Amino acid sequence: MSSKTLLRTGPLRQGGMSPYGPLEPPGGDDLALPGGFSGRIVARSGQKVAGLTWHAAPDGGACFPDGTGWIYVSNSELPLLGGASALRFRADGSIADAYRILSGTDLNRAGGASPWDSWLSCELGHRGRVFECDPYGARAGRPRLAMGRFKHEAAACDPDRQVVYLTEGEPDGCFYRFRPGDWGDLTEGTLEVLCDGGDWKPVPSPAALLKAARHQIEDARHFDGGEGCHYAGGVCYFTTEGDSGLWAYDAETSTLDRICDGVRAITAAPSGDLYVARQSTEIDLITPDREVTPFLKLGGPSGAELTGLAFAPGGGRLYFSARRGRDDGRTFEVAGPFRA
């Protein structure tokens, strides 16, 4: 968890001084980064990496500790053939292995990591499910049906309140939280929806066939296409695709604020800095004191979507994917003097 968090109130301040300095000209991988940082492509859709053909349409991702190394997990937003794959890194950053951790699922869009080191892969398809997967590849992924059957986008675990926040990829989607019967076991529990008054109400039938979960509570609050989701320091940040908004749900005060526009994906560094992927091919940094500065820009043809932002354990490397259509996907690693 981040040691610092975004100040609770006040406007964002654009155009401040970056803690890393200005962006330098793009390098060989079309990445413009601050001085002292380097980038590389670690996987390409349709090409072999450590013996595995890397999946198309890379989307949500997360990192997990693995001895002296780490693992990066990435979803695939393909219909019926989606699932998720993993890259295993050695301590020196070289790739030791690559393997599938979930197969045969539908439109695996975003997702989220659990505090007990499992990957929650979310299906965006009609009556989509949340699959709990083993990033280490030892156990098969399992559906967690108590978390609801709807167009799941992302999940973010709140260990302080022992709930999992969930976004929904519908034009009138809702913002949910799942309260498991036992923290660490997602097989049973209660699905709740955020309502207009700021309270949470149980969804009567999370897997109902005839009436969608988002329509079962009259005063449920609706959002224009819930997308990425990340919890850090008492706040759950999530994005809405339809109106490109970044929202912050303060779990300590039960308040919801719209922070800014033009954001698709989000993650947080151990420093408390937020890293947000814009609608354009850029990643901005939002400091805890609400300064917004550029961190990265991807060159090349226009139209790429940046997804799957995640920091390796320790915060020294940032991973993300850039995709154009379903087949053109590149997964990047950025290394450098990220502040602690």
Side-chain angles (χ1 to χ4, degrees), residues 39 46 49 105 146 192-193 202 210 219 241-242 270 273 316 323:
V49 52
T105 52
E192 300 173 330
V193 64
L210 299 180
D219 60 342
E241 184 176 16
D273 295 322
R323 45 182 283 196

Side-chain angles (χ1 to χ4, degrees), residues 4 77 79 111 140 198 207 252:
K4 301 177 183 178
E77 195 196 352
E252 297 180 3

Side-chain angles (χ1 to χ4, degrees), residues 209-295:
L209 286 170
L210 299 180
K211 192 169 187 179
R214 68 188 186 279
H215 296 150
Q216 292 181 28
I217 301 296
E218 184 175 354
D219 60 342
R221 182 160 181 175
H222 298 276
F223 299 87
D224 193 355
E227 202 170 19
C229 192
H230 187 85
Y231 176 85
V235 179
C236 184
Y237 303 94
F238 66 94
T239 64
T240 45
E241 184 176 16
D243 56 8
S244 68
L246 173 61
W247 302 76
Y249 173 73
D250 189 328
E252 297 180 3
T253 61
S254 300
T255 56
L256 180 68
D257 292 307
R258 184 176 174 124
I259 297 177
C260 64
D261 299 327
V263 176
R264 300 191 71 100
I266 183 169
T267 195
S271 62
D273 295 322
L274 301 181
Y275 287 76
V276 297
R278 294 292 190 176
Q279 296 287 96
S280 59
T281 53
E282 299 175 358
I283 294 176
D284 282 352
L285 166 68
I286 305 177
T287 67
D289 59 1
R290 305 180 79 90
E291 294 279 354
V292 183
T293 61
F295 173 73

Side-chain angles (χ1 to χ4, degrees), residues 40-44 47-52 54 66 69-72 85-99 317 319 331-333:
R40 61 170 176 153
I41 297 172
V42 294
R44 291 180 183 267
Q47 296 187 17
K48 294 283 187 180
V49 52
L52 175 77
W54 195 243
D66 184 46
W70 60 92
I71 291 168
Y72 176 69
S85 300
L87 296 172
R88 175 174 276 124
F89 293 87
R90 301 183 182 94
D92 63 0
S94 60
I95 298 174
D97 197 8
Y99 48 92
R317 299 171 193 254
Y319 293 90
T331 300
F332 289 84
E333 174 194 87

Side-chain angles (χ1 to χ4, degrees), residues 31-311:
L31 285 178
L33 294 162
F37 287 84
S38 62
R40 61 170 176 153
I41 297 172
V42 294
R44 291 180 183 267
S45 296
Q47 296 187 17
K48 294 283 187 180
V49 52
L52 175 77
T53 300
W54 195 243
H55 55 262
D59 209 282
C63 287
F64 300 86
D66 184 46
T68 58
W70 60 92
I71 291 168
Y72 176 69
V73 166
S74 171
N75 273 348
S76 173
E77 195 196 352
L78 284 179
L80 305 178
L81 300 172
S85 300
L87 296 172
R88 175 174 276 124
F89 293 87
R90 301 183 182 94
D92 63 0
S94 60
I95 298 174
D97 197 8
Y99 48 92
R100 294 284 285 180
I101 63 169
L102 182 66
S103 297
T105 52
D106 187 33
L107 295 168
N108 295 80
R109 184 84 163 125
S114 77
W116 48 92
D117 289 337
S118 64
W119 170 243
L120 305 180
S121 184
C122 296
E123 287 184 312
L124 186 62
H126 176 64
R127 290 184 57 76
R129 298 158 291 178
V130 176
F131 281 80
E132 188 168 17
C133 307
D134 178 14
Y136 306 97
R139 299 183 304 276
R142 293 287 184 265
R144 301 307 185 203
L145 301 181
M147 301 180 83
R149 299 292 304 272
F150 53 84
K151 288 188 176 182
H152 283 278
E153 266 281 358
C157 292
D158 176 352
D160 302 307
R161 277 147 287 276
Q162 299 189 346
V163 299
V164 183
Y165 300 104
L166 301 162
T167 57
E168 182 176 21
E170 297 274 11
D172 60 344
C174 290
F175 183 52
Y176 302 90
R177 71 180 183 188
F178 179 69
R179 190 182 299 279
D182 293 305
W183 186 237
D185 182 355
L186 303 178
T187 55
E188 296 181 351
T190 301
L191 183 70
E192 300 173 330
V193 64
L194 181 67
C195 295
D196 286 333
D199 55 337
W200 295 88
K201 294 183 180 180
V203 177
S205 300
L209 286 170
L210 299 180
K211 192 169 187 179
R214 68 188 186 279
H215 296 150
Q216 292 181 28
I217 301 296
E218 184 175 354
D219 60 342
R221 182 160 181 175
H222 298 276
F223 299 87
D224 193 355
E227 202 170 19
C229 192
H230 187 85
Y231 176 85
V235 179
C236 184
Y237 303 94
F238 66 94
T239 64
T240 45
E241 184 176 16
D243 56 8
S244 68
L246 173 61
W247 302 76
Y249 173 73
D250 189 328
E252 297 180 3
T253 61
S254 300
T255 56
L256 180 68
D257 292 307
R258 184 176 174 124
I259 297 177
C260 64
D261 299 327
V263 176
R264 300 191 71 100
I266 183 169
T267 195
S271 62
D273 295 322
L274 301 181
Y275 287 76
V276 297
R278 294 292 190 176
Q279 296 287 96
S280 59
T281 53
E282 299 175 358
I283 294 176
D284 282 352
L285 166 68
I286 305 177
T287 67
D289 59 1
R290 305 180 79 90
E291 294 279 354
V292 183
T293 61
F295 173 73
L296 174 156
K297 184 171 183 178
L298 177 64
S302 61
E305 178 183 353
L306 305 188
T307 63
L309 280 66
F311 277 92

